[in-house]
Amino acid sequence: MRKPKHCLKPLLLCLLGAAAQPALAQQTLPPELQGGPPSQVPVAVQIARWHVLDGDINSLTFRSIDRLFTTRTVAHAGTPWRLPRADAPMDFSYDFGGKTYRADAFLERTYTNALLILKDGKIVTEIYRNNSDETSRFIGWSMTKSVTSLLVGCALADGRITSIDDPITAYLPELKGSGYDGASIRNILEMRSGVDYEERYDFAHPGTAARNHIDALVKNVVRFADAARTIKRAHAPGSTFQYKTLDTAVLGWLIERVSGTTVAGYTSQKLWEPLGAEYDAFYLMDGQPGVGREFSGAGFNATLRDFAKIGQMMLDGGKANGRQVVPAAWVKTSTAASTPADPKAPGAPTGYAMQWWLLDNSGAYSALGLQGQYIYVDPRSRTVVVKISYFPPGREDSATEETGAFLHAAAAWNPK
């Protein structure tokens, strides 16, 4: 039965009144993101990108980069390399802070999303947590630097780079007159470029690095590597080790220039397909296609097993499933210490090679990424460990030291 018209009047007045109310306020950028050139990235997306590292959500955001940023795909192999298995329980312990812990306690204690251990080329442990699985593609953060080093080795083998002792300006003349003028490719690989770029991310008082992060990655109004055009010099090239993502961004620009293609395209051609990767990888971009570049210093994303294949390939002298992917000479050269590890800092990565970290002076080395990403390679025990983490900001030191203790114990472990 139809309702009387007088019953509709209060409802109509209510709806009209609601329409007359002012709209709810939209999101506004935090002070750190305000100012500078106007960005085409929606405000809500900028804010989401700004919170990617937050400890409350990074277990999720670290495997959701393709939902938050522009990305470029790295195609996987047609016939994947299937790593053999010899699964075994983690029946070992490790010592940290004067206490002994079971290996399985390590997962929660150090904010682990995924863990894979290879012994002599066989998977003995593969664990996924927090709703991740074998298809999850995790951001490697600065593990990407080690991938970029591999690409430099491939370009050298291809003759696209004549020598790593060539000045960078021989390939990137845009850097003439900048702090990079006079630095060799070797200097940059070893984080000894000498440019004045402090890797400090105090976003409340942003310096060059923090400002570049905001403008390139959050707002997409500049290209990350373009800061190299105007950067000043702080030290003579080769004289001083100073870790800086800008150095690796310059190496990515170099790869783009000498390969004649994109960094993603060269990665697929020279590394990902020959490696036998099971899934597509991707790079986080610092802008839309046509203007953006791959963030070659910290933007590579891949699955746990495919990251493990990088480690096993390194362990096997650049071979993957019997195929030479990266020259054996480059594996040896790029993992030799240019800055020796501090023996008084066990568990902490203090030594450096060419975009690889040294946890000690034993020959073990690691790709290492922000907030706990590891590809650890120990040639002595033929062990590879990949750990994907979500360390909360401010708690990284303790978690890093504990991870170092676990890695040493995992290398010494002989599964039954």
Side-chain angles (χ1 to χ4, degrees), residues 49 64-74 137 139 220 264 280-290 292-295 299-301:
R49 291 176 177 181
S64 306
I65 293 299
D66 54 342
R67 305 300 298 270
L68 296 170
F69 295 87
T70 299
T71 62
R72 183 170 280 158
T73 297
V74 177
R137 293 182 294 179
I139 186 161
N220 292 162
D280 287 350
F282 65 86
Y283 282 95
L284 182 161
M285 302 287 289
D286 62 12
Q288 294 296 317
R293 287 196 184 103
E294 292 87 340
F295 185 31
F300 191 68
N301 297 251

Side-chain angles (χ1 to χ4, degrees), residues 88-93 102-104 107 115 117 124-125 127 406 413:
M90 290 197 300
D91 56 355
F92 66 96
S93 60
R102 297 191 324 272
D104 57 0
L107 300 171
L115 179 74
I117 302 176
V124 294
T125 299
I127 298 170
F406 176 88
W413 172 43

Side-chain angles (χ1 to χ4, degrees), residues 127-405:
I127 298 170
Y128 298 95
R129 306 176 73 240
N130 303 322
N131 296 334
S132 67
D133 59 32
E134 66 274 8
T135 68
S136 299
R137 293 182 294 179
F138 303 95
I139 186 161
W141 293 120
S142 286
M143 292 201 305
T144 308
K145 293 177 170 67
S146 302
V147 173
T148 301
S149 175
L150 295 175
L151 298 179
V152 172
C154 291
L156 183 66
D158 283 349
R160 298 173 185 273
I161 296 171
T162 304
S163 169
I164 59 171
D165 291 313
D166 288 345
I168 189 65
T169 51
Y171 302 89
L172 298 174
E174 297 92 333
L175 299 184
K176 289 181 178 179
S178 77
Y180 281 98
D181 200 347
S184 68
I185 297 170
R186 182 187 298 273
N187 295 151
I188 298 170
L189 282 162
E190 294 177 348
M191 294 289 183
R192 292 175 173 269
S193 66
V195 302
D196 188 13
Y197 190 93
E198 183 182 3
E199 193 85 354
R200 180 178 64 87
Y201 293 97
D202 179 1
F203 292 110
H205 305 90
T208 303
R211 189 73 254 168
N212 203 27
H213 173 93
I214 292 169
D215 289 347
L217 304 180
V218 177
K219 302 174 76 69
N220 292 162
V221 294
V222 301
R223 310 285 74 79
F224 193 95
D226 281 355
R229 297 171 181 264
T230 56
I231 199 76
K232 304 299 182 184
R233 176 173 293 164
H235 308 283
S239 67
T240 305
F241 170 78
Q242 187 181 44
Y243 182 85
K244 54 186 80 70
T245 298
L246 185 60
D247 276 1
T248 318
V250 168
L251 294 175
W253 189 3
L254 169 68
I255 293 299
E256 181 184 272
R257 178 63 51 84
V258 301
S259 70
T261 185
T262 64
V263 170
Y266 197 66
T267 305
S268 181
Q269 176 191 351
K270 302 304 296 186
L271 180 64
W272 217 235
E273 292 184 15
L275 181 70
E278 188 175 0
Y279 293 96
D280 287 350
F282 65 86
Y283 282 95
L284 182 161
M285 302 287 289
D286 62 12
Q288 294 296 317
V291 295
R293 287 196 184 103
E294 292 87 340
F295 185 31
S296 57
F300 191 68
N301 297 251
T303 65
L304 182 71
R305 286 182 204 150
D306 286 339
F307 274 131
K309 289 172 187 174
I310 294 175
Q312 188 63 42
M313 179 194 69
M314 296 296 289
L315 187 63
D316 290 337
K319 287 186 177 180
N321 200 23
R323 177 180 182 179
Q324 196 73 46
V325 177
V326 177
W330 184 255
V331 172
K332 184 177 180 180
T333 297
S334 64
T335 57
S338 55
T339 301
D342 181 358
K344 296 180 181 179
T350 58
Y352 207 70
M354 292 184 179
Q355 310 286 299
W356 293 89
W357 284 97
L358 312 176
L359 274 67
D360 51 37
N361 291 311
S362 67
Y365 52 90
S366 183
L368 183 63
L370 180 73
Q371 293 176 243
Q373 321 313 321
Y374 290 82
I375 303 173
Y376 171 78
V377 181
D378 180 37
R380 299 165 304 175
S381 63
R382 291 194 53 79
T383 300
V384 172
V385 181
V386 182
K387 172 174 161 58
I388 304 296
S389 314
Y390 54 102
F391 292 176
R395 300 183 189 175
E396 291 184 86
D397 288 349
S398 177
T400 297
E401 291 177 9
E402 185 162 355
T403 298

